[in-house]
């Protein structure tokens, strides 16, 4: 395993320290593209089929060319093999609209093709913060996203349910939280309805219920959350998609931020209020770990 592994969609291994993008790539110029982030664990890309299904759905939302999933699978397989099984890795699927100059170029017999998207797979080490968040949980503050839950359906061009490269707002929220002494964020709507984290789904546990906000509220459907629900239901949990208000976060047994790399981080403090750990913390963590071991199925997404 090297420090990073880079594979292009033709399955070729590339130099991760050499330039790959053209200067006029629309993904870099405008954030016009989509991505997925996948945990590599034990030599396997976890929940891969769910991630590929979400990649395709996001691409459709942006009207990108249909991703050739067989090529993405092959590129992932090559990247994971090169990475190895000793250490966890953070694998990204990057898919942009391609070069801006190609959209302005006239079509001719010599250049009849449509502009070619940029597509590659990159594996990097898992950030150091992940181990701490998994073991100790995270301090979280709630922040207004400044939008209504009705926006996703009223304005689909806002792409609220797609995983786009335009993550500047999410990263700004995390920087603000750190300046305020927190480690992560839970967004809420103008109606004070719970949405999601900048890079996570929000799930609360109450008794033997697991509850997460519905996708119609404008949240990104979560792969880790979906993987948890698939195994938790079989283990006797009632799994719900239900509107949550910020007050509900203080009326539950535990709050979880679920994501592809950190996997499961329990909220140990919210807006300055300490959240004690219930007795079933390890059970929930084990269910999440079990869930992401399954590749999922495209048809189940």
């Amino acid at each position: 395993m090297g420090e990073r592994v880079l594979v292009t969609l033709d399955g070729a291994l590339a130099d991760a320290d050499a330039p790959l993008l053209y200067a006029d790539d629309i993904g870099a110029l405008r954030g016009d593209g989509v991505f997925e982030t996948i945990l590599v664990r034990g030599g396997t890309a976890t929940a891969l089929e769910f991630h590929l299904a979400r990649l395709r759905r996001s691409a459709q939302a942006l009207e990108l060319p249909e991703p050739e999933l067989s090529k993405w699978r092959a590129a992932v397989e090559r990247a994971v093999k090169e990475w190895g099984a000793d250490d966890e890795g953070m694998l990204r699927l990057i898919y942009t609209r391609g070069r801006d100059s190609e959209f302005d170029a006239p079509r001719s017999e010599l250049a009849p093709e449509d502009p070619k998207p940029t597509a590659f797979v990159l594996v990097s080490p898992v950030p150091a913060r992940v181990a701490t968040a998994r073991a100790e949980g995270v301090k979280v503050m709630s922040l207004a996203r400044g939008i209504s839950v009705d926006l996703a359906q009223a304005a689909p061009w806002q792409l609220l349910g797609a995983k786009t490269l335009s993550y500047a707002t999410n990263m700004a929220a995390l920087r603000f939280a750190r300046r305020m002494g927190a480690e992560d964020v839970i967004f809420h709507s103008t109606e004070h309805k719970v949405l999601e984290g900048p890079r996570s789904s929000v799930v609360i546990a109450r008794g033997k219920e697991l509850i997460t906000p519905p996708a119609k509220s404008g949240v990104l459907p979560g792969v880790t959350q979906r993987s948890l629900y698939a195994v938790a239901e079989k283990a006797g949990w009632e799994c719900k998609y239900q509107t949550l208000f910020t007050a509900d976060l203080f009326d539950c047994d535990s709050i979880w931020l679920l994501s592809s790399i950190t996997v499961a981080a329990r909220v140990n403090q919210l807006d300055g209020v300490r959240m004690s750990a219930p007795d079933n913390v390890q059970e929930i963590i084990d269910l999440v770990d079990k869930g992401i071991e399954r590749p999922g199925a495209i048809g189940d997404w």
Side-chain angles (χ1 to χ4, degrees):
M1 178 200 74
E3 184 178 350
R4 287 171 297 160
V5 174
L6 176 63
V7 176
T8 51
L9 206 58
D10 58 3
L13 186 66
D15 183 353
D17 291 319
L20 177 67
L21 293 181
Y22 286 98
D24 66 344
D25 192 285
I26 299 174
L29 294 179
R30 303 190 190 118
D32 193 357
V34 300
F35 77 105
E36 285 291 322
T37 307
I38 305 173
L39 178 67
V40 177
R41 175 179 282 178
T44 300
T46 58
L48 177 60
E49 294 303 305
F50 277 172
H51 282 287
L52 290 175
R54 191 169 65 178
L55 179 77
R56 182 171 65 181
R57 177 174 175 174
S58 295
Q60 290 169 346
L62 270 68
E63 300 181 58
L64 291 168
E66 186 80 4
E68 297 183 61
L69 298 187
S70 60
K71 290 186 176 181
W72 283 101
R73 286 190 192 94
V76 168
E77 182 179 353
R78 175 75 192 275
V80 170
K81 181 178 180 181
E82 292 292 333
W83 181 259
D86 293 338
D87 297 309
E88 289 188 342
M90 180 171 62
L91 184 150
R92 291 188 175 100
L93 313 180
I94 307 295
Y95 189 46
T96 86
R97 202 170 299 276
R99 298 187 64 184
D100 189 51
S101 57
E102 291 187 357
F103 284 85
D104 296 329
R107 303 276 76 82
S108 67
E109 291 184 0
L110 295 177
E113 297 88 358
D114 291 330
K116 183 180 179 181
T118 300
F120 59 91
V121 174
L122 176 67
V123 190
S124 306
V126 170
R129 62 172 173 79
V130 168
T132 302
R134 290 176 183 171
E136 301 176 8
V138 287
K139 296 179 182 179
V140 173
M141 67 182 304
S142 59
L143 291 178
R145 183 172 268 176
I147 61 174
S148 167
V149 291
D150 298 328
L151 185 64
Q153 297 180 67
W157 53 88
Q158 292 286 348
L159 304 174
L160 295 178
K163 195 171 179 69
T164 74
L165 290 171
S166 305
Y167 252 51
T169 298
N170 289 2
M171 297 299 101
L174 288 170
R175 289 193 297 272
F176 178 82
R178 292 189 190 107
R179 289 198 298 273
M180 298 295 106
E183 297 160 327
D184 216 316
V185 167
I186 292 177
F187 287 124
H188 62 79
S189 71
T190 52
E191 303 91 348
H192 289 277
K193 294 179 179 179
V194 175
L195 297 173
E196 59 193 347
R199 54 191 174 204
S200 61
S201 302
V202 178
V203 176
I204 69 168
R206 185 182 287 153
K208 290 291 286 185
E209 291 181 339
L210 295 171
I211 308 171
T212 195
K216 68 180 182 180
S217 296
V219 301
L220 178 73
V223 166
T224 306
Q225 170 267 313
R226 188 77 63 88
S227 298
L228 166 63
Y229 273 27
V231 297
E233 287 179 335
K234 296 178 181 179
W237 289 75
E238 185 176 2
C239 300
K240 297 180 177 180
Y241 295 89
Q242 180 178 303
T243 297
L244 295 170
F245 288 89
T246 51
D248 290 315
L249 299 176
F250 296 95
D251 184 27
C252 62
D253 299 329
S254 57
I255 309 167
W256 296 86
L257 299 186
L258 303 186
S259 59
S260 297
I261 302 302
T262 304
V263 186
R266 188 183 66 83
V267 175
N268 60 35
Q269 181 174 303
L270 177 62
D271 292 337
V273 178
R274 291 184 59 83
M275 317 292 284
S276 59
D279 294 337
N280 60 4
V281 162
Q282 192 58 50
E283 178 186 0
I284 293 173
I285 292 173
D286 291 344
L287 285 170
V288 177
D289 284 336
K290 182 178 180 181
I292 64 171
E293 289 175 358
R294 303 166 64 252
I298 294 284
D300 292 338
W301 186 252

